[in-house]
Amino acid sequence: MKTNQTLNTVLTIGTFDGVHIGHQKIIKRLVEVANNKGLQPSLLTFFPHPRMVLQKDANIKLINTISEKELLLKRFGITNLVVKKFTKDFSRLTAEAFVEDILVDQLKAKHVIIGYDHHFGRNRNANINDLRQFGEQFDFDVEEISMQDINDVAISSTKIRAALNEGDIKTANTYLGYNFMLTGTIIKGKGIGKTIGYPTANLKIEETYKLIPKQGVYIVQAIIDNVLEFGMMNIGINPTVSGTDQSIEIHFFNLNKSLYDKKLSVQLLHRLRDEQKFDSLDLLKRQLEIDNHNASEFLKTYDK
C-alpha cells in the first residue's frame, strides 16, 4: 500500500472487479469531483479478496488481475490505485481506526464516494451514516451512490462471470464496456501446431485467481511490438493429442516470429466453437482451416 501520499484525494472503496460499465459510472463521478475540487482521483481496494482470507475460499475467480485492474482504472482517469493487503488482523480494525489511520492519515481523503449499503470496520458494523459522522469529525465530505447504481453494479458483475463461464464473450464484453482480457507470459509448448501449419503461442497466466472463460476456440487480438495482431485462441486440454492439462494457445494470423518470454494481454472478441477431439491431426488441421475462414469473415465486419 502506498504511504507517501501527499495530495488530498477524492476516494472510493471496493473490489471493483471487472471495472465494468456500472463501476465506470462511479469512476466518472469520482473524476468529475476530482477536477472540480482539485483532488487526486483515488480508489482503495483490497487483496487478497476478503473471502479468500476470512472464509478460506480459494475457488473465487476474479475478472481482473491487479495489474489489469490498474491498467483499466488509469484508462478511466484513476491516477492513484491503492491496494491494501487484506489480513485477519486488518479485518479486526475498528471503523474509527480504519477511517482515521487509512482514509485520513494515509490517503488524505477530502471527499469519499460510497454506496448506501457499504459496511466497514470490525465485523462490518459501520455504515454510511457512521461514515458521515466520521466525515464531520475528520473534515471530509461523504457522497452516497444511489441504490439504482449499486444494483446495476451487482447485477452486471454477476452476469459477466456467468457469461464468461458459459463462453458468452459478446455479453461479457457488452457489460464490461471493453474486451475481456487474459494477461500472461508466452512459454514453450509441445510444438504440435507448427507441424500442421498453425504454430501457436502458449500463454501462461500466473494468477490462479484469474477467471478463465469456458473452454473453446475464440477470435482474439493483441498489441505486439506496437502492432495490432489478430488470431484464434484455444482454451482446453488438446484432446486430439491426448492432453490432460488445460492450456491457452494462440495462433496469430500474420505473425512469424518468436514470442517466447514476451508478456501479452490478449483480448477476446468472439467465440467460434467448443473444443473438439479429432481422430487425426489431418482432421484437426481441416477444422482449423474452417476456423481460420470463419475468423476472417468475422473480422471483415468487426469494428476495430
Side-chain angles (χ1 to χ4, degrees):
M1 178 176 175
K2 300 173 186 176
T3 54
N4 59 344
Q5 185 69 44
T6 55
L7 298 174
N8 290 336
T9 64
V10 51
L11 180 72
T12 192
I13 305 164
T15 307
F16 281 77
D17 186 34
V19 195
H20 53 60
I21 55 174
H23 296 137
Q24 289 163 36
K25 283 200 271 189
I26 298 165
I27 291 165
K28 185 178 179 182
R29 176 59 187 154
L30 192 82
V31 172
E32 197 175 79
V33 171
N35 292 336
N36 290 341
K37 292 190 171 185
L39 301 172
Q40 184 177 31
S42 304
L43 190 149
L44 173 62
T45 194
F46 308 101
F47 192 84
H49 192 288
R51 272 170 51 196
M52 292 178 181
V53 176
L54 300 178
Q55 300 172 22
K56 300 294 184 188
D57 187 355
N59 294 321
I60 299 172
K61 298 298 179 186
L62 303 181
I63 299 166
N64 304 130
T65 64
I66 292 292
S67 61
E68 289 169 350
K69 185 182 294 186
E70 186 169 20
L71 179 79
L72 290 162
L73 289 169
K74 275 185 183 173
R75 184 189 300 175
F76 296 123
I78 300 293
T79 57
N80 186 33
L81 171 64
V82 181
V83 182
K84 180 76 178 82
K85 185 175 181 181
F86 193 89
T87 63
K88 283 189 175 178
D89 284 345
F90 175 75
S91 75
R92 298 186 187 108
L93 206 62
T94 66
E96 184 168 8
F98 171 72
V99 170
E100 185 172 9
D101 296 351
I102 295 173
L103 302 195
V104 177
D105 291 348
Q106 293 183 33
L107 299 181
K108 295 183 168 41
K110 289 295 178 185
H111 191 116
V112 178
I113 300 177
I114 211 74
Y116 75 98
D117 62 348
H118 184 81
H119 289 78
F120 61 100
R122 185 183 297 162
N123 299 323
R124 291 170 49 83
N125 59 3
N127 59 29
I128 190 162
N129 295 323
D130 298 300
L131 191 63
R132 286 197 174 102
Q133 290 178 3
F134 288 131
E136 291 175 10
Q137 182 180 345
F138 295 109
D139 189 30
F140 59 83
D141 296 326
V142 175
E143 181 176 337
E144 181 180 330
I145 304 163
S146 73
M147 184 186 296
Q148 178 62 47
D149 281 347
I150 289 291
N151 288 341
D152 285 350
V153 169
I155 291 167
S156 49
S157 283
T158 303
K159 283 189 175 179
I160 291 163
R161 291 193 185 91
L164 290 170
N165 284 325
E166 292 164 9
D168 184 358
I169 201 69
K170 182 178 180 181
T171 295
N173 288 349
T174 298
Y175 276 94
L176 287 169
Y178 61 88
N179 296 322
F180 175 77
M181 68 186 85
L182 294 171
T183 305
T185 305
I186 301 301
I187 61 170
K188 275 191 179 292
K190 295 176 181 174
I192 294 167
K194 190 183 292 184
T195 66
I196 57 174
Y198 286 89
T200 59
N202 286 53
L203 190 72
K204 180 179 175 61
I205 298 173
E206 295 291 346
E207 295 87 353
T208 55
Y209 62 85
K210 170 73 176 183
L211 192 158
I212 308 299
K214 183 180 180 181
Q215 292 184 348
V217 180
Y218 295 82
I219 302 172
V220 299
Q221 67 180 27
I223 302 288
I224 301 174
D225 297 331
N226 298 314
V227 177
L228 180 63
E229 303 284 357
F230 293 92
M232 51 191 188
M233 175 180 74
N234 185 73
I235 300 174
I237 60 169
N238 298 306
T240 302
V241 291
S242 303
T244 54
D245 297 328
Q246 179 167 281
S247 63
I248 301 172
E249 299 177 71
I250 311 132
H251 169 71
F252 289 105
F253 299 133
N254 301 308
L255 202 62
N256 186 23
K257 59 181 171 184
S258 173
L259 299 175
Y260 291 137
D261 298 327
K262 190 178 283 288
K263 184 98 172 180
L264 273 194
S265 189
V266 181
Q267 298 178 25
L268 282 64
L269 309 180
H270 179 73
R271 189 172 190 270
L272 286 170
R273 61 175 175 85
D274 288 339
E275 185 179 46
Q276 296 167 245
K277 180 174 182 177
F278 297 94
D279 291 335
S280 68
L281 285 177
D282 281 343
L283 289 174
L284 171 59
K285 182 178 180 180
R286 200 173 301 169
Q287 180 60 53
L288 291 175
E289 288 166 356
I290 294 168
D291 295 337
N292 200 335
H293 172 77
N294 291 339
S296 297
E297 290 301 306
F298 173 84
L299 291 171
K300 283 177 185 176
T301 58
Y302 176 66
D303 186 14
K304 300 174 181 64

